[in-house]
Amino acid sequence: MKGFDRIVLARLLGGEERLAEVLGPSCPIHDYDGGIVVQAGPEPQLGDINRGLVLDDYRRVSQALAPIRFEDYPRGLFVLGEPFDSLEETRKWIRRFD
């Protein structure tokens, strides 16, 4: 997965130090040559969005990065039959940790 550019990070999120404050110690930021990667928690975990169980670390990362999240899809990414709307289901997937 491609990381976040430091210029975008500084302009939109207040910089790496500010993002680290917002995320807290359970969501470390990792540097690499192209930018940063944000880790949501110490290890991958399962939640259940169908039952309203969104894990705190995932929610915190989602909320912190929401200002730079792309959501302007002209059409859905998922091919779904009736009664689903592909564009709306795509948006739900992108916002699933909010």
Side-chain angles (χ1 to χ4, degrees):
M1 179 171 95
K2 187 174 182 195
F4 297 102
D5 181 276
R6 284 185 176 82
I7 294 171
V8 171
L9 180 67
R11 287 185 182 162
L12 298 178
L13 300 177
E16 191 171 335
E17 294 80 21
R18 175 68 184 127
L19 181 59
E21 288 175 17
V22 169
L23 294 174
S26 64
C27 298
I29 298 171
H30 304 281
D31 289 312
Y32 79 105
D33 289 341
I36 67 164
V37 173
V38 177
Q39 179 179 328
E43 57 191 37
Q45 299 179 42
L46 296 175
D48 187 344
I49 60 170
N50 295 316
R51 294 169 67 193
L53 177 61
V54 177
L55 302 165
D56 290 339
D57 289 333
Y58 287 64
R59 186 182 313 271
R60 195 167 27 261
V61 170
S62 180
Q63 289 173 350
L65 300 180
I68 60 173
R69 180 172 58 199
F70 181 80
E71 295 191 23
D72 295 332
Y73 293 97
R75 57 187 166 79
L77 298 177
F78 306 116
V79 179
L80 300 169
E82 292 292 333
F84 299 102
D85 175 86
S86 296
L87 182 56
E88 185 56 32
E89 292 303 315
T90 296
R91 289 182 178 136
K92 284 181 186 177
W93 175 255
I94 291 164
R95 299 171 184 155
R96 69 194 180 278
F97 299 126
D98 287 354

